[in-house]
Amino acid sequence: MSFSHYLVDLAKIFVSSSIINNIILIQFLGLCSYIGLTDNMSSSIGMSFAVIFVTVSSSILTWVIDHWILIPSHLQPVLQITSFILVIGSFVGLVQIYLKKASPNLYKAMGIYLPLIATNCIILGVTFINSMNNYDFIQSIVEAIGISLGYTLAMIMLAGIRERLRNSDVPQFFKGKAIAFMVSGILALAFLGFQGMIK
Amino acid sequence: MKDIIISVATLGGFGALFGVLLGVFNERFKVEENPLSKAIYDALPHGECGACGFPGCFPCAEAIAENRAVLDACTVGGQETAKKVKEVLENFKKENNKQFSNF
C-alpha cells in the first residue's frame, strides 16, 4: 500500500470514528457521563479533556501490550481484559490526582463521574476496536483521537442545548433528565444522516 | 506452566510499575487536606459502599467535617461509628481550644 493510500485510510478512520460511528449518538456507549455531566458546560469540557487524555494514552500503551506481549505468547483471549483494565485504571488514577491539585472546583463538579471513567465503556471499547480490527500503531492512535473528539462533540452539543433549555419553557413533566434524553434521541436521529458517507 | 509465568510476570510487572508511578505522582501533587476530615475518615468503616449518598468514605468524612451531613450519616456503621465520630469531633474541639487559649 502506497503512502497516499495510507493517509486516505487514516482520514477515513478518523471521520468514521468521530462522526459516522459517533461513540455516543450512534453506538450508545458511555452514556452515564453523557447524561450526568452535561448540565453545565465547564464540567462537560473538563470531562471531555480527561477522556481524550485517558483514551489516547491507554490506547497507545494497550497497543504495545497487545502486540508485543499478548499476541506472541498466545495469551490474548485470557489476559486481554485484565491487562487493559489495569492500564486504563492507572491512567484514570493519574488524571484524578492531577485534577485534584490543578483545579479542585472542577474535581468537585465531576464528583463520581471522574473515577467512573475507569469503567466507562468508551475507553475499553476503543482498545477492543483497535485490537479487533488489527489496526497498526498510528491507525489505533487516530482511532482513539477520533472517538474521543466525537465524544467531546456530543458532550458540548448536549451541554449547550441543556444550558439553553434551562431558560426556556419546558413542560413540567419533561424537566431535567427527561428532556435531555429526548434531545439526545433527536440528535442521534440527526447523526443517522451521516450513515453511508464512506464506502 | 509457561503461560502462567508469562501472565503473572506481565500483570505483576505492569501492576508494580503503575503502583510506583501513582505513588510518585501522589507525592508530587499532594493536596493540603483538612485534618478534621482526615480524622473522621479514620473513624469510618472504609467500606466505600456509598450507602450514605456520597461517592465514598472520604467525601462523606468531608461532608461531616463541613457540617453538610449528620454525625450518623454512615448507615452501615450505625451507632458505633456515630459514637466514634462524635469522640473525634470532641477531641478536635478540645485541641483547638487549647491552641487558641495560648493567644
Side-chain angles (χ1 to χ4, degrees):
Chain A
M1 200 161 53
S2 69
F3 183 65
S4 60
H5 274 113
Y6 187 68
L7 282 187
V8 170
D9 212 37
L10 286 187
K12 271 185 187 171
I13 288 176
F14 182 77
V15 173
S16 110
S17 61
S18 61
I19 295 174
I20 299 172
N21 292 320
N22 188 299
I23 194 89
I24 286 180
L25 294 172
I26 301 294
Q27 304 194 30
F28 295 109
L29 290 176
L31 287 178
C32 76
S33 55
Y34 175 65
I35 295 296
L37 276 177
T38 44
D39 47 3
N40 75 50
M41 194 58 131
S42 67
S43 68
S44 62
I45 290 177
M47 181 71 179
S48 305
F49 275 112
V51 166
I52 289 175
F53 172 74
V54 174
T55 314
V56 174
S57 48
S58 63
S59 79
I60 291 172
L61 203 57
T62 51
W63 188 90
V64 171
I65 293 177
D66 208 23
H67 283 250
W68 290 4
I69 299 171
L70 297 187
I71 292 178
S73 63
H74 307 291
L75 283 173
Q76 202 187 20
V78 190
L79 272 187
Q80 205 174 30
I81 295 177
T82 327
S83 52
F84 285 8
I85 279 292
L86 179 72
V87 171
I88 292 167
S90 315
F91 276 119
V92 173
L94 287 184
V95 170
Q96 208 180 344
I97 293 167
Y98 173 72
L99 212 64
K100 208 173 179 182
K101 177 82 178 179
S103 87
N105 284 334
L106 193 61
Y107 180 78
K108 227 169 243 172
M110 287 197 199
I112 186 67
Y113 294 104
L114 188 61
L116 273 185
I117 302 178
T119 54
N120 195 327
C121 18
I122 291 173
I123 323 275
L124 194 64
V126 173
T127 55
F128 274 121
I129 289 170
N130 288 339
S131 155
M132 264 190 301
N133 293 340
N134 277 326
Y135 283 156
D136 64 20
F137 188 62
I138 296 171
Q139 279 173 335
S140 59
I141 293 175
V142 170
E143 168 90 20
I145 294 174
I147 282 185
S148 46
L149 285 183
Y151 176 83
T152 311
L153 178 72
M155 288 288 274
I156 288 177
M157 277 201 310
L158 190 66
I161 293 172
R162 279 180 78 174
E163 285 203 335
R164 298 197 64 164
L165 274 177
R166 214 179 291 152
N167 298 328
S168 55
D169 186 23
V170 180
Q172 201 200 339
F173 297 119
F174 295 151
K175 268 183 184 149
K177 299 231 152 74
I179 193 83
F181 272 107
M182 290 171 148
V183 166
S184 46
I186 296 170
L187 280 178
L189 274 181
F191 264 69
L192 275 180
F194 290 116
Q195 230 38 244
M197 206 163 90
I198 291 179
K199 278 271 148 62
Chain B
M1 195 60 210
K2 202 180 129 224
D3 290 353
I4 298 174
I5 293 173
I6 290 177
S7 36
V8 169
T10 311
L11 288 183
F14 277 105
L17 182 76
F18 282 121
V20 170
L21 202 68
L22 280 176
V24 170
F25 227 71
N26 211 355
E27 276 303 308
R28 234 180 136 250
F29 291 94
K30 214 168 192 171
V31 183
E32 292 290 314
E33 259 148 17
N34 188 351
L36 178 58
S37 47
K38 183 82 187 46
I40 295 175
Y41 177 64
D42 288 339
L44 292 177
H46 295 202
E48 310 289 348
C49 62
C52 51
F54 296 98
C57 284
F58 197 78
C60 177
E62 269 180 338
I64 294 174
E66 290 162 14
N67 249 335
R68 282 185 286 123
V70 285
L71 285 183
D72 56 350
C74 184
T75 48
V76 180
Q79 284 297 319
E80 233 171 276
T81 307
K83 220 183 261 172
K84 268 192 213 164
V85 171
K86 203 177 171 196
E87 263 170 39
V88 168
L89 280 174
E90 275 165 4
N91 282 343
F92 192 78
K93 241 184 216 167
K94 254 185 227 163
E95 276 173 28
N96 273 6
N97 281 344
K98 245 184 237 164
Q99 274 182 8
F100 288 125
S101 59
N102 289 342
F103 278 94

